[in-house]
Amino acid sequence: MPNKNDIDLMDSMISDPEKEPIDIRPIGEDNLQSHIYTIRGVQVMLDGDLAQLYGVETKRLNEAVKRNRERFPDRFMFQLTGDELDCLRSQIATLNNVHQFKESKNCRGQHTKYLPYVFTEQGITQLSSVLRSKVAIEVSIRIMDAFVALRRFLSSNALLFQRIDRIESCQVLTDKKMEMVLRRMDELAPTISPEQIFATGCVWDAWSYVSQLVRSANKRIVLVDNFVDDRVLTLLTKRKCKVEATIFSRYTVQLQLDLEKHNTQYDVVTFIQIPHKSHDRFLIIDDVVYLLGASVKDMGTSLCALTRMELSPEIVLNLLK
């Protein structure tokens, strides 16, 4: 004979014509296996999914389990932690379709997240003994068949899963090795020194060095040079996005034409004509001033040097007014 607890739950499963039916979207045979998750190393189903299958509210299902708690040890059912719930969310595409993730109001009117319970295969078998109804028996058979089918699938594809695990492990190892190589390259990469001299013919070394300076700018680049052509504009394309670039130089028709063409495609380079003769060349990177021994386009063609100065950039800029 069923006890009082069983009868209470059985009564809750009988529809009352005076009450609105519970809005339950049935879980079909085709996607039943997709509602079986692996948590804490065991395969489980969520209380909300089971409630849908049995045709009862999740609250009713959990109340019945609590009244028969001695039948459900921890290895049969347990409550998810917050971290486990977050991990489970990542496995489910649309949380709005999952009954057990609805928010519930507490006594103060605030919303709290409901941490669902999950049932192992043994726990689901026990549910069928608690829910003494024809529906419960039929649903339990469906669920047991789904667990068996899933185990067969995992068993038949064990080698494939092992290969995937090995590939993922190799990928992680490769990523770590690449990270070490890139870090080592950064350590061995030449740093920008405050003084640099280039022998005659070291055109590439000079160009590469000035390119590093241009790439290092975070706010502005200012070049003071009487002799500028399209090679300088090419150099300035190496700067970071949104770094302002200004050239103080002598006006020529060719330079003006090159600037117009350049500015239609790349970040704008501002041109300011030098109001008077300027013998030396200067390169300002953010708040640092470099004295150039030759025009940027000609550095390395003959013996020249580049020196970092201790004065403020504004001193140089004010002298150009």
Side-chain angles (χ1 to χ4, degrees):
M1 294 291 292
N3 60 33
K4 182 179 183 301
N5 294 333
D6 298 333
I7 295 174
D8 290 342
L9 187 61
M10 290 165 59
D11 291 340
S12 71
M13 298 176 64
I14 301 175
S15 61
D16 187 343
E18 297 181 356
K19 295 182 180 180
E20 294 183 0
I22 301 171
D23 182 17
I24 297 175
R25 291 182 295 273
I27 299 174
E29 296 288 347
D30 294 339
N31 65 348
L32 183 56
Q33 292 182 33
S34 65
H35 291 266
I36 300 176
Y37 307 100
T38 301
I39 301 175
R40 302 185 191 179
V42 294
Q43 294 174 340
V44 296
M45 288 189 69
L46 291 155
D47 54 3
D49 289 340
L50 291 169
Q52 288 185 15
L53 288 166
Y54 288 119
V56 298
E57 292 178 318
T58 307
K59 181 179 179 181
R60 292 274 190 167
L61 180 71
N62 288 328
E63 287 176 351
V65 172
K66 288 180 181 179
R67 291 196 298 265
N68 296 271
R69 196 64 179 85
E70 69 282 356
R71 300 188 182 185
F72 296 91
D74 292 342
R75 66 180 182 276
F76 282 15
M77 63 162 286
F78 53 87
Q79 189 172 26
L80 297 183
T81 65
D83 291 339
E84 288 171 337
L85 180 59
D86 291 338
C87 181
L88 184 59
R89 280 196 177 102
S90 66
Q91 302 180 44
I92 302 175
T94 307
L95 296 184
N96 292 335
N97 293 332
V98 183
H99 176 75
Q100 67 277 3
F101 289 144
K102 289 184 178 179
E103 292 183 343
S104 60
K105 288 187 177 181
N106 61 21
C107 59
R108 297 182 182 179
Q110 297 174 339
H111 287 82
T112 57
K113 293 293 183 181
Y114 161 56
L115 294 176
Y117 287 90
V118 293
F119 293 79
T120 65
E121 187 173 353
Q122 295 93 330
I124 296 171
T125 303
Q126 277 291 48
L127 276 177
S128 65
S129 65
V130 173
L131 308 178
R132 295 174 180 271
S133 69
K134 183 178 180 180
V135 173
I137 295 173
E138 293 176 353
V139 168
S140 295
I141 293 174
R142 287 176 54 200
I143 295 175
M144 294 304 104
D145 289 342
F147 272 94
V148 171
L150 184 59
R151 282 198 297 271
R152 288 175 179 172
F153 172 79
L154 295 175
S155 176
S156 61
N157 293 276
L159 293 178
L160 176 61
F161 294 142
Q162 290 177 5
R163 290 185 61 185
I164 293 174
D165 288 339
R166 286 197 295 269
I167 292 173
E168 290 180 347
S169 300
C170 291
Q171 184 63 45
V172 171
L173 183 60
T174 301
D175 291 343
K176 290 182 179 179
K177 289 182 178 179
M178 285 298 300
E179 184 178 352
M180 293 175 59
V181 171
L182 292 174
R183 188 184 303 116
R184 186 58 177 166
M185 288 175 64
D186 290 338
E187 293 173 355
L188 297 176
T191 57
I192 299 175
S193 57
E195 296 180 350
Q196 186 69 40
I197 188 168
F198 301 102
T200 301
C202 295
V203 177
W204 172 251
D205 290 343
W207 179 265
S208 178
Y209 183 86
V210 178
S211 296
Q212 289 186 67
L213 290 176
V214 169
R215 291 190 182 97
S216 69
N218 294 312
K219 298 183 297 182
R220 64 175 176 176
I221 299 172
V222 180
L223 175 64
V224 181
D225 193 337
N226 277 320
F227 305 99
V228 173
D229 61 13
D230 58 337
R231 286 171 289 183
V232 175
L233 299 179
T234 300
L235 178 68
L236 292 176
T237 60
K238 301 176 184 291
R239 71 187 190 276
K240 297 174 185 174
C241 182
K242 296 184 180 181
V243 173
E244 298 179 356
T246 304
I247 294 176
F248 286 84
S249 187
R250 295 188 301 179
Y251 172 82
T252 64
V253 175
Q254 185 61 54
L255 177 58
Q256 185 65 31
L257 178 61
D258 290 340
L259 270 171
E260 291 176 359
K261 298 294 185 182
H262 171 278
N263 290 345
T264 59
Q265 182 175 351
Y266 296 100
D267 291 341
V268 174
V269 174
T270 303
F271 169 77
I272 300 177
Q273 184 170 335
I274 296 179
H276 49 76
K277 290 183 178 180
S278 174
H279 180 273
D280 289 329
R281 294 91 170 170
F282 300 91
L283 178 63
I284 298 174
I285 304 294
D286 294 334
D287 296 321
V288 180
V289 179
Y290 293 90
L291 175 64
L292 309 180
S295 294
V296 171
K297 64 181 181 63
D298 298 323
M299 291 192 71
T301 57
S302 58
L303 180 63
C304 64
L306 182 148
T307 306
R308 176 172 175 169
M309 305 184 71
E310 298 300 326
L311 53 83
S312 168
E314 276 53 52
I315 294 177
V316 176
L317 296 175
N318 288 332
L319 291 174
L320 291 172
K321 295 181 180 179

